[in-house]
Amino acid sequence: MKGTVHYEVRGQSALLSIDNPPVNPLSSGVRQGLFDGMTQALADDAVKAVVITGLNRAFIAGADISEFGAAATAGASLNDVLNLMENSEKPVVAAINGTAFGGGLEVALCCDYRVAVRSAPVGLPEVKLGLLPGAGGTQRLPRLIGAEAAIGAIVSGSPIAAPDALKLGIVDQVVDEDVVSAALAFSDQIIDSGSPTRKIRNLTDKVIADRERQDLFVQAAANLDQTHRGQFAPAQILKCIEAAVYSDDFDAGMAVERSCFGECLAHPQREALIHIFFAERAANKIPGLSKETPLIDIQSAAVIGAGTMGGGIAMCFANAGISVQIHDNDPEGLQRGLKVIEGNYARTVAKGRLSQQAMDERMALIQPAATLEAFGDADVVIEAVYENLDLKKEIFTKLDAIMKPGALLATNTSGLDVDAIAACTSRPEFVCGMHFFSPANVMRLLEVVRGEASSPQTLGTAMALGKRLGKVSVMAGNCPGFIGNRMIGGYSRQANLMILEGATPEQVDSVIYQFGLAMGPFAMADMVGLDLGWRARKMQGGSNEITARIPDALCELDRYGQKNGLGYYRYEAGSRAPIPDPVSLEVIERVSGDLGYKRKAFSDDEILKRCIYPLVNIGAQLLDEGHALRAGDIDTVYVNGYGFPSHIGGPMWFADAQGLDQVLADIRRFHEETGDDAWKPAPLLERLVAEGKSFASLDA
Ligand code: 3H9
């Protein structure tokens, strides 16, 4: 059995300490240990109360996620434990020493009182795994804090800092340190005062008052379309909370929760989301890099380029409490960049998500540097200038002369040759790619690009730094576009070919939106600006790619996208909502005709496959070449960097769910129909189908 619970008597109380490192999930051994500990405490007349706490760095991280979908384990169930706690006539106090998430908070909600250390977050994040709190959380939290706050907490799944939990009434006391002593003192007080136990199931005031709020659930359901489009669990959560509010019988509400939890558990979205949870963590484990690999100690950083990217990266360092210098070869650009950073922080302060003091501290960590020479002592430098290999080479030549020995030299290139850049230095082993996604202070993904000479120390430091900056880091090999941009190249190309062949931008965009992405390729192109690619192509003397013909033709008519209200779509002044435009359709039909296409109708199914299967085929090539280490890494990149819906699990997981034989058959058909080499099936895909295997089987 995994995990255990230590039992000791301290004064008048039994202290149960959960021990299941590193984060104390409720594995079978923990459940049994809690059950045995409670039984022992209840049987001992000398014990007047029970205090439950966690060893290691959490209170309880929730149910053991690896048990979902696996065979049932022996021993006490969580329900057995919670029933003992809730029926106990001796008061039970939770000493929340660290993270109390999911089933962990539900254990605490079965206690009579909760004392938390200030640094401990609590929350019910099950929705992020396609689940709902299935151990009474949907019934007890509304009784404790009211339906509106409970909906906010459970539907978002967001962590709640202990001081906020105190304000909401989720915890009864917050202490700065030694939460166990505080909880023991708390339980002594209850015993001495003869205060009764306090069972949340018996609290009814809040839910009865909520019955007057007719609009609460209608409004919450309407919001789901904005916040959780296409997801199954959130509506089930509302159903459970509604049962908590409108049912006088606590057990009837629990029955609704049990049934809805079962439906979530059986839903494919649950499996996809749990796949992403474990894939994000597996991505951190790099073969050949052990925990013992010595890392560069990063105390200070430097960023070159104060544009959107460089500014965002500097904010990432400041947000993590690391001092960072920023340089731009254009002094006005540097000042502009600093103003943008300040504006970004000010907006967060205005929204109440950051205190003015925290903003001031972060701004103070960001120091402008007039020259590159000022960077000499920094432990890491990240170059974030525009995508021009010659410029990057020039910068790395200078950095080699300036930076102290042992510093990490990283380029934020989104697809250029990291080895060519490293070769300009006398220390290519200290060079790697660190590809942030825009806006860098918001997007969670970081591709760490392994150059041929990058040392384990360099790569380990870049991965660890990513974690410190709050990123999900994925290791990518050094090939054009790395993982993400190489794949999206295939997706965009097919979308552009389809509008030449007869589809319309709105048809393609609508299919991709329905699939779950925030926007389709053409709305996205309008947002980015069609003129960027057009100008770049003109500077290179034009492009022979037929997929560039339509955007070039649109730009020739001054249709640059959202920025001037006309692109693939037209936009009303002040609005970002794309409106289909017959003028752009005329342009598309003209170019298509000039190129000799006979326009044909597309089904939605065909459009989806033409867009998504290039991701799968290129993903398989990346795996075969070793440029991606795992299928799960590719899914992690796509979900965190490209808005692929996490409840579909990423493109490789999606392909497995379709059946790889079906995917391969379609790819072969596209290859035959178009003669386009891009559709040549990846050898790995063919091998997997021949062997009856899946992408997931490669990671197992
Ligand atoms: C639930 O509770 C359902 C109930 O309502 C009802 C049941 C009937 N289980 O993230 P880290 C592993 S659903 C198993 O790197 P951090 C993780 O895989 C659950 N394993 O650390 C990793 O393993 P490895 C609701 C878990 O400090 C290691 O622990 N709870 C679990 O950055 C370290 O994790 C959640 O959704 C788990 N529950 O963050 C919370 N949690 O070292 C999910 C972690 O082999 N967990 N592991 O790669 C988290 O949000 C974060 O892990 C946490 C720690 C904040 C706790």
Side-chain angles (χ1 to χ4, degrees):
M1 276 194 190
K2 203 165 151 249
T4 186
V5 175
H6 306 282
Y7 183 95
E8 63 185 297
V9 176
R10 295 254 197 113
Q12 310 183 79
S13 299
L15 176 65
L16 310 190
S17 304
I18 298 162
D19 192 1
N20 189 16
V23 292
N24 297 335
L26 291 160
S27 316
S28 52
V30 173
R31 296 195 301 268
Q32 190 62 48
L34 284 172
F35 186 84
D36 294 343
M38 279 303 301
T39 308
Q40 189 175 346
L42 293 175
D44 185 344
D45 287 342
V47 166
K48 305 287 182 223
V50 182
V51 172
I52 299 178
T53 194
L55 302 178
N56 315 307
R57 62 182 202 248
F59 173 65
I60 302 170
D64 185 336
I65 299 169
S66 63
E67 288 182 1
F68 293 128
T73 47
S77 72
L78 187 53
N79 257 340
D80 297 335
V81 174
L82 299 184
N83 284 340
L84 263 189
M85 290 169 62
E86 200 162 52
N87 294 327
S88 161
E89 283 171 10
K90 299 179 181 179
V92 185
V93 179
I96 302 177
N97 57 297
T99 306
F101 279 175
L105 180 57
E106 290 173 296
V107 166
L109 292 175
C110 269
C111 295
D112 299 272
Y113 299 96
R114 287 152 292 283
V115 179
V117 71
R118 190 170 298 280
S119 57
V122 304
L124 294 170
E126 285 89 341
V127 69
K128 296 180 187 172
L129 303 174
L131 287 169
L132 52 83
T138 65
Q139 303 304 300
R140 293 193 182 87
L141 198 62
R143 280 180 164 72
L144 190 62
I145 66 173
E148 188 170 10
I151 290 170
I154 304 177
V155 171
S156 74
S158 301
I160 303 168
D164 295 331
L166 181 67
K167 278 186 215 144
L168 280 169
I170 299 176
V171 301
D172 303 287
Q173 190 186 357
V174 170
V175 295
D176 286 319
E177 51 193 22
D178 199 357
V179 70
V180 171
S181 298
L184 287 166
F186 196 102
S187 75
D188 280 347
Q189 240 178 20
I190 302 165
I191 299 163
D192 295 346
S193 68
S195 299
T197 53
R198 190 180 70 142
K199 307 299 175 193
I200 294 177
R201 64 177 285 147
N202 298 330
L203 305 179
T204 52
D205 290 3
K206 292 237 159 70
V207 284
I208 288 174
D210 282 330
R211 290 178 192 169
E212 306 301 316
R213 307 271 317 272
Q214 311 290 349
D215 60 324
L216 196 59
F217 291 95
V218 178
Q219 191 55 50
N223 290 345
L224 294 185
D225 214 36
Q226 296 287 319
T227 55
H228 293 80
R229 190 164 53 88
Q231 293 187 33
F232 180 74
Q236 303 299 308
I237 290 172
L238 292 184
K239 203 165 147 187
C240 295
I241 300 180
E242 209 167 352
V245 169
Y246 289 103
S247 169
D248 287 324
D249 177 2
F250 180 81
D251 293 324
M254 286 296 283
V256 173
E257 183 188 271
R258 210 163 28 253
S259 146
C260 291
F261 185 81
E263 286 198 42
C264 291
L265 197 60
H267 201 282
Q269 290 186 4
R270 188 271 304 163
E271 229 184 320
L273 284 158
I274 288 185
H275 156 67
I276 287 295
F277 177 86
F278 284 119
E280 285 180 3
R281 282 151 184 87
N284 250 315
K285 300 183 175 80
I286 309 300
L289 283 191
S290 75
K291 280 194 178 138
E292 284 70 47
T293 306
L295 303 182
I296 302 168
D297 181 21
I298 305 288
Q299 301 288 345
S300 62
V303 175
I304 307 174
T308 311
M309 210 62 207
I313 296 171
M315 287 176 77
C316 292
F317 280 104
N319 295 348
I322 303 171
S323 74
V324 55
Q325 298 183 78
I326 181 163
H327 168 77
D328 197 293
N329 68 347
D330 168 15
E332 278 178 25
L334 179 57
Q335 288 315 314
R336 243 192 339 267
L338 289 169
K339 279 262 163 291
V340 170
I341 293 174
E342 197 174 357
N344 288 342
Y345 279 134
R347 267 193 301 282
T348 317
V349 171
K351 286 181 194 153
R353 293 208 221 114
L354 188 74
S355 69
Q356 183 62 48
Q357 188 193 343
M359 167 173 166
D360 295 344
E361 283 164 11
R362 291 180 196 191
M363 281 308 292
L365 285 169
I366 303 174
Q367 289 299 320
T371 63
L372 271 190
E373 280 66 26
F375 285 180
D377 283 336
D379 301 313
V380 54
V381 58
I382 298 184
E383 163 277 307
V385 303
Y386 62 90
E387 289 293 90
N388 178 312
L389 188 59
D390 289 335
L391 177 61
K392 287 180 193 272
K393 285 178 170 178
E394 194 185 309
I395 289 174
F396 272 76
T397 309
K398 284 190 193 153
L399 288 175
D400 192 31
I402 293 168
M403 301 303 294
K404 70 179 179 189
L408 174 63
L409 314 185
T411 168
N412 175 54
T413 175
S414 57
L416 297 175
D417 183 356
V418 171
D419 289 335
I421 295 170
C424 297
T425 72
S426 60
R427 40 176 148 172
E429 66 278 20
F430 284 99
V431 179
C432 71
M434 287 182 75
H435 176 209
F436 291 77
F437 287 69
S438 190
N441 52 311
V442 176
M443 297 293 286
R444 285 181 78 215
L445 181 65
L446 175 70
E447 279 182 325
V448 171
V449 186
R450 182 199 287 260
E452 206 184 339
S454 309
S455 70
Q457 184 189 29
T458 295
L459 296 171
T461 303
M463 293 294 290
L465 181 57
K467 182 149 191 168
R468 224 171 129 194
L469 301 183
K471 303 293 173 199
V472 176
S473 308
V474 174
M475 179 79 74
N478 180 34
C479 59
F482 314 133
I483 296 178
N485 281 346
R486 178 159 156 196
M487 286 168 66
I488 204 169
Y491 160 94
S492 308
R493 184 163 172 278
Q494 287 304 317
N496 280 291
L497 283 171
M498 280 190 284
I499 58 168
L500 283 169
E501 293 168 31
T504 62
E506 55 272 26
Q507 195 188 358
V508 175
D509 282 353
S510 151
V511 168
I512 294 300
Y513 180 80
Q514 294 303 329
F515 183 66
L517 279 89
M519 64 180 85
F522 298 104
M524 174 66 90
D526 270 0
M527 193 178 82
V528 172
L530 305 184
D531 55 323
L532 297 182
W534 176 58
R535 284 183 219 288
R537 287 189 290 275
K538 281 216 292 200
M539 270 169 62
Q540 288 162 1
S543 163
N544 290 328
E545 263 290 341
I546 50 170
T547 49
R549 294 289 186 89
I550 290 173
D552 284 356
L554 291 169
C555 287
E556 299 294 348
L557 295 173
D558 295 336
R559 299 181 73 104
Y560 300 151
Q562 270 188 25
K563 62 177 72 167
N564 68 344
L566 291 172
Y568 286 103
Y569 299 92
R570 68 181 179 82
Y571 300 83
E572 301 286 355
S575 162
R576 289 161 179 250
I579 303 167
D581 187 352
V583 180
S584 90
L585 193 57
E586 265 172 38
V587 174
I588 291 167
E589 286 173 351
R590 173 171 54 76
V591 175
S592 164
D594 288 351
L595 287 166
Y597 283 101
K598 299 227 173 328
R599 293 181 71 75
K600 60 172 186 178
F602 277 86
S603 71
D604 289 356
D605 182 58
E606 193 82 344
I607 289 176
L608 186 67
K609 288 174 174 167
R610 288 271 305 259
C611 285
I612 303 297
Y613 288 178
L615 303 178
V616 178
N617 205 34
I618 298 171
Q621 289 161 10
L622 284 159
L623 284 169
D624 231 357
E625 298 158 1
H627 287 122
L629 291 172
R630 306 172 190 87
D633 284 10
I634 295 176
D635 288 336
T636 299
V637 164
Y638 250 74
V639 163
N640 288 288
Y642 295 83
F644 198 97
S646 52
H647 59 272
I648 302 180
M652 309 313 268
W653 185 264
F654 173 72
D656 278 349
Q658 300 303 296
L660 290 191
D661 53 342
Q662 297 298 315
V663 175
L664 178 61
D666 280 316
I667 289 179
R668 283 191 173 135
R669 179 169 59 83
F670 293 144
H671 192 207
E672 272 165 30
E673 283 171 6
T674 62
D676 183 349
D677 266 355
W679 281 119
K680 206 163 174 290
L684 174 65
L685 181 58
E686 292 186 313
R687 277 203 309 279
L688 288 175
V689 171
E691 293 166 14
K693 291 186 177 159
S694 61
F695 286 116
S697 71
L698 299 172
D699 296 353

